Amino acid sequence: MPEAFTLYSLLAREDEPTAFLYNEVTKSLTSHLEHPKQISNLAAEESQNEVLLYLVTRSHRLVKIFDTLRHFQTKAKPATMPQIAGNLATETTTFLIRIIIPLYEVLELKKLVLFLSSALSTCLTFNPPSHLRHLAGQFEACPKLFPALICDSVGGRRVQRWVESPVMALHDPKILRYWTNAAVQMVASCPGNHESLGVIQDWKTLEDTREALSEISMKLDSRAQEPLRDTRRGYFHTLPPSSDARKVNTTNIQPIAFHTDFPDLTDNLVVVQGLEQLGLSLPVSRRSLDNVLKALQVEKTKSILCSVAATFPCNFCKENLVLVQPIEQDISPVIDRGRPTHSDELLQFLGNVIGLWKVSVSAPALKNIRSYSNKADAVSQNLVELTSGTWTYKRIGSKQQQKALRVPLAATKCGQDIKILWQIDVQTDEQVQVPQQIITVWAVGDLPEIDKAINQVIKIQQIYTQEHVRRCRTRPVRSEDKLLPVRFTSRDMPTTDVSKRQARLDVTDVDQATIDMANKFFALTKPLIQAIIDNNLVAEFPFDLSTDEARIINNFETASLILGRSGTGKTTCLIFKMVSRYLARRALMDEPPIRQILLTRSSFLAEKLREYSRRLIEGRISQPLHLKSLQDGSFHPWTTSSESSTKQDALALKDEMFPLVCTFVELLQMLESTVK
């Protein structure tokens, strides 16, 4: 075999190989039974590092070779050809086992998927080798590889062929479980239609049943390890002391039964219902228990994996690999610095969301909730349950309404006649400033009110962008018995800002009630829940902010010039900015408040803003953990009338009188009194 026509020389060549050279290398690999070893020798210890460097920029060369070898394998007819084809599969598998993990660390994922898809075609086309299961075990060390491979148009078909091959049954149960769980998680979070809801439920049932039976098996193992001195025909023998065993009197033998009792599993609902759903019999002995566990871990798991793999490749899943990452825990600000940052001040003002999901309540819904004083506990309990991720998405609406909705609506019962109307929505997270799934509560009321609200939501959803709809319909990530919201890391893709829905509505096509529903939303926080339970109709709470509004409130480095027509929220931003700094100073630093003054022209408006600011702070006082020092009533500057404050010396103003809300005229009068 000429050295110029080896596989190694093809990789080591500086210039791009010609078609003639590719053809000659292919001939050298398929001309003799021993020549396929060139493939596995590439990953030999003495040459592996050098080959890795070549593959970073020249992996496409091996891709062409593997594609050519696959055609050779499919046409292998002469007597020696099948053996060579089998050797090609074996040596390629050996090569991948040795090279896949180090290659995962240096090669771009997209190129690695293309490379692996082509190599697997050689492994799987002709009589897949049994040690292919060792290659499957390498995927656990490459967490992004399997999802990327199964989503690829070519790689997905290779995975499907792999899981359907007989060698998959030889795989370690741990590997089967890893593959199946990864595939099921992708399907569960995919916005596309995999038609695998039944399979997903079967997998959850299988996992619950397997865990319950494994626990029973461990208990039996611990009992079996109890020391037994002499065993014969199922008896424990107590032998009398004797120097000659032949003189033992058998009448002195006292038989004691072994611990051979098997627990009755008919009362274990998880096991009984799980095995019934999966088509397996209830074990009645230790041997049957082992057989059932083996069936769950191998045959049933493989069956589910085959069903899920058949739904790939999927473009939606491929896109989600880049755009989506699940949230694994509740996000809350950690306050451990000497001085608060601007982000801390805003979060302290807005309040931390409850649970895993942020729940955003519309203004009409909050108004109705406060009117149901006799059902406050039931409503608040169901709202808190929405934040936990333990809910089920039960669609609501007539067939015509469901068809018109771009994002499905769900309903949660609060007693016999009250329902909560909600949907999965997307909003920019205030802390990390990336889009994230939330729950929007549109309405709370009886059936006629809910039906009317559905028609209003249909009109509101018409302004959703296509990207916003896709993100709303993305399935949350299931983790054990909870659903986790999805965070979208791509910030530049267009979505519908919650705070701008009202502005985008066609006022000629909607009524005032629809505009009000799309106008303001309030995050479900502990103070808000407490106000609902206490039937506090006075306290005010900050509504959800747009990205621009949050930027204005967070800007303390320079002066801000806010331009906008009437009703766009300029004054509200100033109020929120003032109150957030006040709360942060007192709550985070336990220091006197910053001496802030808010000026306006109208005395009527000044009085309204003074009252609104007071109610906002009172709404936040319901968190005793951070605001203990504000509960003694000494913080209220608004108990002093503007008339009395203008008659005193500005230098004599006390900290308790700030933030100060007054008119320009009142400020000038105060300064005049100071000068005099």
Side-chain angles (χ1 to χ4, degrees):
M1 178 176 57
E3 186 177 350
F5 297 147
T6 63
L7 193 58
Y8 179 84
S9 66
L10 182 77
L11 273 179
R13 191 180 182 91
E14 291 295 334
D15 56 337
E16 190 64 27
T18 62
F20 170 79
L21 185 55
Y22 278 113
N23 187 47
E24 290 299 318
V25 171
T26 303
K27 286 182 180 179
S28 71
L29 289 170
T30 58
S31 60
H32 193 274
L33 290 174
E34 297 295 324
H35 288 180
K37 288 187 177 180
Q38 294 182 59
I39 302 175
S40 60
N41 288 339
L42 289 177
E45 185 176 353
E46 61 273 9
S47 60
Q48 186 180 107
N49 291 337
E50 190 175 5
V51 170
L52 280 172
L53 291 176
Y54 290 149
L55 288 177
V56 172
T57 56
R58 304 171 188 176
S59 60
H60 63 282
R61 299 183 184 181
L62 286 190
V63 170
K64 291 183 179 180
I65 293 294
F66 288 136
D67 288 341
T68 306
L69 293 178
R70 177 169 58 88
H71 293 298
F72 167 81
Q73 289 174 307
T74 56
K75 299 177 181 179
K77 292 182 180 180
T80 59
M81 290 301 182
Q83 298 180 30
I84 295 177
N87 288 347
L88 287 171
T90 300
E91 299 301 328
T92 302
T93 302
T94 302
F95 166 68
L96 291 177
I97 292 174
R98 295 174 180 174
I99 203 74
I100 194 65
I101 293 179
L103 194 60
Y104 176 78
E105 298 175 354
V106 298
L107 191 61
E108 183 183 347
L109 185 60
K110 184 178 180 180
K111 292 182 179 180
L112 180 58
V113 168
L114 178 62
F115 174 81
L116 187 58
S117 300
S118 180
L120 284 176
S121 65
T122 305
C123 301
L124 297 167
T125 298
F126 188 91
N127 199 14
S130 59
H131 69 300
L132 198 62
R133 66 181 183 272
H134 298 306
L135 176 60
Q138 306 295 311
F139 281 83
E140 193 169 0
C142 312
K144 295 181 180 179
L145 184 55
F146 179 76
L149 182 66
I150 198 173
C151 291
D152 185 71
S153 57
V154 178
R157 292 195 294 270
R158 299 289 182 267
V159 172
Q160 185 177 349
R161 181 182 177 89
W162 192 349
V163 300
E164 292 175 352
S165 65
V167 297
M168 178 56 73
L170 301 176
H171 285 185
D172 186 275
K174 182 181 178 182
I175 299 173
L176 277 173
R177 186 184 178 198
Y178 172 78
W179 277 34
T180 307
N181 189 64
V184 169
Q185 290 287 353
M186 293 181 65
V187 170
S189 60
C190 178
N193 184 17
H194 284 260
E195 298 182 354
S196 300
L197 292 179
V199 179
I200 295 173
Q201 184 59 42
D202 285 346
W203 175 243
K204 184 179 184 304
T205 301
L206 187 149
E207 285 284 81
D208 293 341
T209 307
R210 180 195 59 78
E211 184 176 353
L213 290 178
S214 297
E215 185 177 351
I216 295 172
S217 178
M218 291 176 61
K219 291 181 179 179
L220 292 176
D221 287 340
S222 63
R223 294 184 60 187
Q225 292 175 0
E226 295 178 0
L228 295 175
R229 281 177 280 179
D230 184 26
T231 58
R232 195 185 311 168
R233 297 188 306 277
Y235 291 95
F236 179 88
H237 296 268
T238 303
L239 299 178
S242 174
S243 58
D244 189 353
R246 289 177 298 178
K247 297 180 180 180
V248 173
N249 186 358
T250 57
T251 58
N252 293 329
I253 297 177
Q254 299 177 2
I256 301 177
F258 275 141
H259 297 291
T260 58
D261 55 318
F262 188 81
D264 185 9
L265 302 180
T266 55
D267 294 334
N268 194 322
L269 295 180
V270 174
V271 173
V272 173
Q273 295 177 359
L275 293 179
E276 182 179 357
Q277 180 177 335
L278 297 170
L280 295 175
S281 301
L282 191 69
V284 294
S285 65
R286 180 55 195 264
R287 177 176 294 181
S288 62
L289 174 62
D290 293 339
N291 291 337
V292 169
L293 275 173
K294 183 178 180 181
L296 289 174
Q297 295 171 345
V298 181
E299 288 87 357
K300 292 298 179 180
T301 300
K302 180 187 175 183
S303 175
I304 292 176
L305 179 57
C306 289
S307 299
V308 176
T311 66
F312 286 92
C314 173
N315 290 330
F316 286 110
C317 289
K318 188 175 182 179
E319 185 179 4
N320 281 351
L321 286 176
V322 181
L323 296 179
V324 180
Q325 66 179 35
I327 300 175
E328 297 183 353
Q329 59 183 359
D330 181 20
I331 297 178
S332 56
V334 179
I335 303 167
D336 58 358
R337 296 172 294 277
R339 298 192 65 83
T341 64
H342 306 322
S343 176
D344 289 331
E345 294 176 359
L346 180 60
L347 289 172
Q348 178 68 27
F349 171 59
L350 296 176
N352 298 333
V353 296
I354 304 172
L356 296 171
W357 287 77
K358 176 181 178 179
V359 174
S360 191
V361 185
S362 70
L366 182 59
K367 182 179 179 181
N368 283 354
I369 291 172
R370 286 179 163 181
S371 66
Y372 296 130
S373 57
N374 58 333
K375 296 185 178 180
D377 290 340
V379 174
S380 59
Q381 182 178 354
N382 281 278
L383 288 174
V384 172
E385 185 177 345
L386 289 178
T387 69
S388 66
T390 56
W391 39 262
T392 55
Y393 208 101
K394 297 180 180 179
R395 296 191 177 188
I396 190 174
S398 63
K399 291 184 178 180
Q400 184 178 1
Q401 288 174 327
Q402 291 187 10
K403 186 176 180 181
L405 287 166
R406 301 185 68 189
V407 178
L409 295 177
T412 300
K413 287 186 177 181
C414 299
Q416 295 183 350
D417 53 346
I418 303 298
K419 287 187 176 181
I420 300 175
L421 182 69
W422 57 278
Q423 73 167 69
I424 294 179
D425 213 333
V426 175
Q427 187 183 46
T428 301
D429 182 83
E430 291 89 356
Q431 187 174 21
V432 294
Q433 292 298 306
V434 293
Q436 171 185 313
Q437 283 184 336
I438 66 168
I439 290 177
T440 294
V441 174
W442 291 108
V444 177
D446 54 22
L447 289 179
E449 291 174 322
I450 293 297
D451 185 71
K452 180 180 178 182
I454 293 175
N455 294 326
Q456 294 171 339
V457 175
I458 290 174
K459 294 183 178 180
I460 295 174
Q461 289 186 357
Q462 298 308 309
I463 66 174
Y464 285 3
T465 63
Q466 188 62 36
E467 177 62 20
H468 188 87
V469 172
R470 186 193 71 80
R471 290 175 172 179
C472 292
R473 297 178 72 96
T474 299
R475 294 179 183 176
V477 179
R478 179 171 291 278
S479 176
E480 297 179 353
D481 59 340
K482 296 180 180 180
L483 294 172
L484 306 180
V486 174
R487 176 176 294 167
F488 304 89
T489 57
S490 177
R491 307 186 187 194
D492 55 350
M493 301 192 70
T495 188
T496 305
D497 197 326
V498 175
S499 63
K500 296 180 180 179
R501 289 173 180 170
Q502 180 195 18
R504 297 186 58 182
L505 286 173
D506 185 358
V507 294
T508 62
D509 188 45
V510 297
D511 55 11
Q512 185 60 42
T514 305
I515 295 175
D516 293 340
M517 178 180 286
N519 186 13
K520 293 180 181 179
F521 294 85
F522 299 85
L524 191 68
T525 58
K526 290 182 179 179
L528 182 57
I529 286 291
Q530 193 61 46
I532 294 174
I533 295 175
D534 297 341
N535 195 25
N536 186 349
L537 305 179
V538 178
E540 292 283 355
F541 299 93
F543 50 79
D544 288 340
L545 304 171
S546 68
T547 304
D548 293 337
E549 290 168 340
R551 189 180 301 115
I552 292 171
I553 296 173
N554 267 332
N555 179 36
F556 296 102
E557 303 299 332
T558 60
S560 300
L561 175 62
I562 309 173
L563 298 177
R565 59 178 177 81
S566 300
T568 53
K570 301 184 299 297
T571 305
T572 304
C573 281
L574 293 178
I575 288 290
F576 284 4
K577 186 172 185 176
M578 180 182 69
V579 173
S580 66
R581 296 210 74 179
Y582 174 86
L583 290 171
R585 184 80 171 186
R586 295 294 297 264
L588 299 179
M589 300 290 294
D590 195 22
E591 294 180 0
I594 300 173
R595 294 197 168 198
Q596 303 177 87
I597 300 178
L598 179 63
L599 299 175
T600 182
R601 291 181 179 273
S602 168
S603 58
F604 174 79
L605 179 59
E607 186 65 31
K608 291 293 184 182
L609 295 180
R610 191 178 298 115
E611 181 67 14
Y612 183 53
S613 302
R614 182 181 65 82
R615 290 184 177 183
L616 278 174
I617 292 184
E618 284 185 346
R620 295 295 291 119
I621 291 176
S622 59
Q623 283 190 334
L625 178 63
H626 298 305
L627 299 174
K628 291 181 179 179
S629 60
L630 303 183
Q631 294 181 353
D632 56 7
S634 62
F635 73 99
H636 293 294
W638 304 276
T639 55
T640 303
S641 66
S642 59
E643 181 179 357
S644 62
S645 64
T646 58
K647 294 181 180 180
Q648 59 182 315
D649 191 334
L651 298 177
L653 291 176
K654 299 180 180 180
D655 291 335
E656 290 76 14
M657 299 190 66
F658 290 92
L660 186 64
V661 183
C662 61
T663 65
F664 287 98
V665 174
E666 291 168 348
L667 178 62
L668 291 175
Q669 290 175 350
M670 184 185 301
L671 293 176
E672 185 178 1
S673 300
T674 304
V675 173
K676 290 180 180 180

